[in-house]
Amino acid sequence: MILHIDGCQFAQMFTSAAAAIEASRQPVNELNVFPVPDGDTGTNMSLTMSAAAAGIDKAETHIGVLSDAVAQGLLRGARGNSGVILSLLFRGFSKSVRDFSSITGTGLAAALTEGVEAAYRAVMKPAEGTILTVSRMAAKRAQAAAAHDTSVEFVLQEALKAAEAALEETVRQNPVLAKAGVIDAGGKGYCIILDGMLCALRGKPFTAMPTEGGRRESADFSEYSDEDIRFTYCTEFIVNRENDRDTRTLSAFLGSVGDSLVLVDDETIIKVHVHTNNPGSVLEEALAYGQLTAIKIENMREQHSQQIIENPPEEKPARKIAAPARNFGFVAVCSGEGMAGVFKDLGADNIVSGGQSMNPSTDDILHAIDATPSEIVFVLPNNKNIIMAAEQCVPLSEKQIVVLPTRSVPQGMSAMLVFDPTLDAEQNREGMLAAISGVTTGSVTYAARDSEYDGQSISQGDHMALLNDRLIYTHSDADFVHTRLADEIAKTSPSFITVFYGEGVDPGTAKEMAERLRRRCADAEINLVDGGQPVYSYLISAE
């Protein structure tokens, strides 16, 4: 049995776990009960892990330093609820091992436990039968195992066994999973991560879950940094600290102009590793903290290497934290030019592109917040799977952030309509929450795969009508679904209806949808807008 691990071994374990969840992302996606083509759990967990794995310094021997870099990378790359919870689990882990160069099984059990506590503290209404349950049971078994055998291998082995047992129970703990007869996707992802770590510890390859559609069954994560390079320059340096400025500001800036970020602050120096297209702006920002030393800039594309410093490419200035020019500002998440245009007309300062099928990361949202020239920034996630990622921005920004729990684009627009600049932040928050509660959101999309949901049999390609995220009708005939949705919206007796039609929808067909509603809601004011949104052919706001 392997007794203890240091930073190098933990790095190998983490990159193995990232490769494991990448190799299994589609099977994990398939466990999602609801077949809407949304940002799926496996994809979100894989992208979150990849964001941290790309910046790992595999030569770092101190597990506290290494795990801190991992936690930072996970937080900035967190996507979707599953990604945010995963980042919280590793953040608590990092805090537990911060002062240790290596840990035994006892330290591993304590770290897993603190990670679970951090995740539970951040979730307002923890639900059983989720990744939270699976991680909690794994940590509990780890504590018990460490009391009998303090080797890391034994404790991790027992934690994985408990996680897998807890995963099998999720189908009975969660009513939605029980109806569908499947285990929890996030819990499965967590088991894969633990399994990937254990395999690396034992020097064995991870065996991926069976996949469909020709997807690869394993991932060589050692080659990750050479694939699909978005940022040309690998920039590394050390800052000899001359002040006590909060490095969260520097970290936020670096995250906004690059990726693969590792920032280690040990009070006297700051060590930075980042991939960026503008190393000059990175070095200039870092000078605010002290003198620079050990600067190394390499062109990762290995093209025109002699021009790295002498002739950098002409680019737009890097975005920095905007100075406040007024009291209030808005950041909205949406997709589609029409949708973005409406939010801009309502007063949104910055738009984060995202929503169904492309959940933005915490860093994407933070970038938009930092570019908003106001002291207080209201953030409208407009999707239930983006709310947690937005909330993670609150402690990372120097601005005052108010995240409104908008679950749809219509809710976000209604919130902005009632904003009153003469009121304070809390008064506006209360007014906007009241507006959100009065919005009925109807939508039409398609089934991404065959499924059984809430007693209904769904076939891939079927048209699906939803009312406030609740599936009400599914059918192969689009007209049938549109008619039934119009009937349900009419039951709410709305006064105002806005129909946003998506990309690929014929304007004439969209007018027919508006006419259906007009015939059923004669007293309502009805507007038709080309939203241009993907995935959803119609998003309908009824108030």
Side-chain angles (χ1 to χ4, degrees):
M1 287 287 181
I2 299 171
L3 300 179
H4 57 81
I5 56 172
D6 62 10
C8 291
Q9 290 166 303
F10 183 72
Q12 294 171 358
M13 293 165 66
F14 187 84
T15 52
S16 174
I21 191 64
E22 160 61 20
S24 304
R25 69 153 79 179
Q26 190 55 33
V28 173
N29 283 344
E30 293 294 331
L31 291 173
N32 284 328
V33 175
F34 204 37
V36 173
D38 202 343
D40 283 334
T41 301
T43 298
N44 284 337
M45 295 183 80
S46 175
L47 291 174
T48 299
M49 291 287 287
S50 296
I56 281 183
D57 180 358
K58 294 182 180 179
E60 179 58 66
T61 60
H62 194 288
I63 194 169
V65 174
L66 192 285
S67 64
D68 184 63
V70 165
Q72 289 292 326
L74 285 170
L75 178 58
R76 300 211 172 276
R79 293 175 184 268
N81 292 351
S82 56
V84 172
I85 291 174
L86 189 61
S87 74
L88 292 167
L89 290 169
F90 277 96
R91 182 196 289 182
F93 185 105
S94 172
K95 288 182 178 180
S96 181
V97 305
R98 179 169 295 165
D99 298 327
F100 299 97
S101 59
S102 65
I103 58 172
T104 64
T106 303
L108 176 63
L112 290 173
T113 300
E114 187 158 343
V116 169
E117 292 172 352
Y120 268 88
R121 283 195 298 269
V123 179
M124 293 185 63
K125 296 181 180 180
E128 290 302 310
T130 66
I131 184 176
L132 291 173
T133 307
V134 173
S135 62
R136 187 184 79 244
M137 298 309 294
K140 184 178 179 180
R141 175 75 70 85
Q143 290 280 16
H148 296 283
D149 185 335
T150 60
S151 69
V152 168
E153 183 179 351
F154 178 74
V155 171
L156 183 55
Q157 167 190 290
E158 293 302 300
L160 175 58
K161 288 180 180 178
E164 291 175 336
L167 177 64
E168 294 304 315
E169 289 297 314
T170 59
V171 69
R172 288 175 281 276
Q173 294 171 322
N174 187 310
V176 176
L177 298 178
K179 287 183 179 180
V182 298
I183 54 178
D184 179 66
K188 179 62 180 179
Y190 186 70
C191 287
I192 290 170
I193 288 168
L194 292 182
D195 194 11
M197 296 177 76
L198 183 59
C199 286
L201 184 64
R202 290 173 168 169
K204 298 179 179 180
F206 172 82
T207 303
M209 297 171 62
T211 58
E212 298 178 359
R215 288 185 58 81
R216 59 184 178 179
E217 296 193 14
S218 63
D220 183 2
F221 226 88
S222 65
E223 298 180 1
Y224 176 86
S225 60
D226 295 329
E227 299 174 358
D228 300 326
I229 295 174
R230 292 176 55 213
F231 298 98
T232 303
Y233 301 99
C234 176
T235 305
E236 297 182 58
F237 57 89
I238 293 175
V239 182
N240 292 317
R241 261 193 174 281
E242 296 178 349
N243 53 56
D244 59 355
R245 292 185 62 175
D246 192 340
T247 55
R248 289 183 300 178
T249 303
L250 176 61
S251 184
F253 173 78
L254 295 175
S256 72
V257 297
D259 68 2
S260 301
L261 170 62
V262 177
L263 187 153
V264 180
D265 181 5
D266 73 350
E267 297 182 353
T268 59
I269 67 169
I270 305 170
K271 181 179 179 181
V272 172
H273 168 279
V274 66
H275 295 173
T276 181
N277 285 327
N278 197 332
S281 67
V282 168
L283 299 180
E284 181 180 358
E285 187 74 15
L287 279 170
Y289 293 80
Q291 294 186 7
L292 308 185
T293 185
I295 301 173
K296 182 175 72 172
I297 302 174
E298 295 180 340
N299 188 324
M300 294 185 294
R301 299 180 188 277
E302 298 181 349
Q303 295 176 348
H304 311 295
S305 58
Q306 298 304 314
Q307 301 180 19
I308 294 174
I309 303 298
E310 299 176 358
N311 299 298
E314 185 177 344
E315 298 174 358
K316 296 179 180 179
R319 179 176 290 169
K320 297 185 179 181
I321 298 176
R326 56 184 184 278
N327 199 20
F328 299 107
F330 283 89
V331 168
V333 180
C334 70
S335 55
E337 292 185 7
M339 293 291 193
V342 173
F343 273 113
K344 283 289 189 179
D345 290 343
L346 291 173
D349 297 271
N350 287 293
I351 304 297
V352 178
S353 180
Q356 274 67 29
S357 78
M358 48 181 178
N359 296 158
S361 68
T362 296
D363 194 55
D364 293 332
I365 301 170
L366 182 63
H367 192 188
I369 291 171
D370 289 342
T372 301
S374 63
E375 295 178 355
I376 302 170
V377 181
F378 287 92
V379 180
L380 306 167
N382 301 329
N383 184 293
K384 63 182 180 181
N385 205 35
I386 301 174
I387 294 173
M388 285 190 69
E391 290 172 341
Q392 296 306 302
C393 294
V394 176
L396 297 177
S397 176
E398 294 181 345
K399 300 175 184 290
Q400 181 182 338
I401 310 301
V402 181
V403 178
L404 292 168
T406 51
R407 297 165 65 91
S408 68
V409 165
Q411 285 188 349
M413 292 178 177
S414 293
M416 291 197 69
L417 282 168
V418 301
F419 174 74
D420 185 345
T422 66
L423 302 178
D424 62 28
E426 182 57 29
Q427 289 172 322
N428 268 303
R429 177 179 174 277
E430 291 178 357
M432 287 187 281
L433 287 175
I436 291 170
S437 67
V439 178
T440 295
T441 301
S443 55
V444 178
T445 185
Y446 63 92
R449 53 186 174 272
D450 294 343
S451 178
E452 291 287 335
Y453 183 80
D454 201 18
Q456 299 188 58
S457 178
I458 304 172
S459 299
Q460 182 175 353
D462 275 359
H463 300 274
M464 299 193 301
L466 298 88
L467 198 67
N468 294 331
D469 293 330
R470 179 175 60 87
L471 178 64
I472 55 175
Y473 292 104
T474 178
H475 202 278
S476 59
D477 185 344
D479 286 340
F480 175 85
V481 171
H482 296 167
T483 299
R484 293 297 180 271
L485 179 58
D487 290 339
E488 292 298 322
I489 289 176
K491 293 177 182 178
T492 67
S493 302
S495 299
F496 300 95
I497 299 176
T498 302
V499 180
F500 299 94
Y501 61 95
E503 62 180 4
V505 175
D506 179 74
T509 303
K511 289 180 180 179
E512 291 176 6
M513 184 66 186
E515 283 301 318
R516 281 189 180 91
L517 289 163
R518 186 168 286 110
R519 290 193 296 269
R520 291 163 175 78
C521 308
D523 296 331
E525 178 182 325
I526 299 177
N527 295 302
L528 182 63
V529 178
D530 181 0
Q533 72 273 7
V535 180
Y536 282 75
S537 52
Y538 294 102
L539 281 174
I540 302 172
S541 173
E543 300 181 64

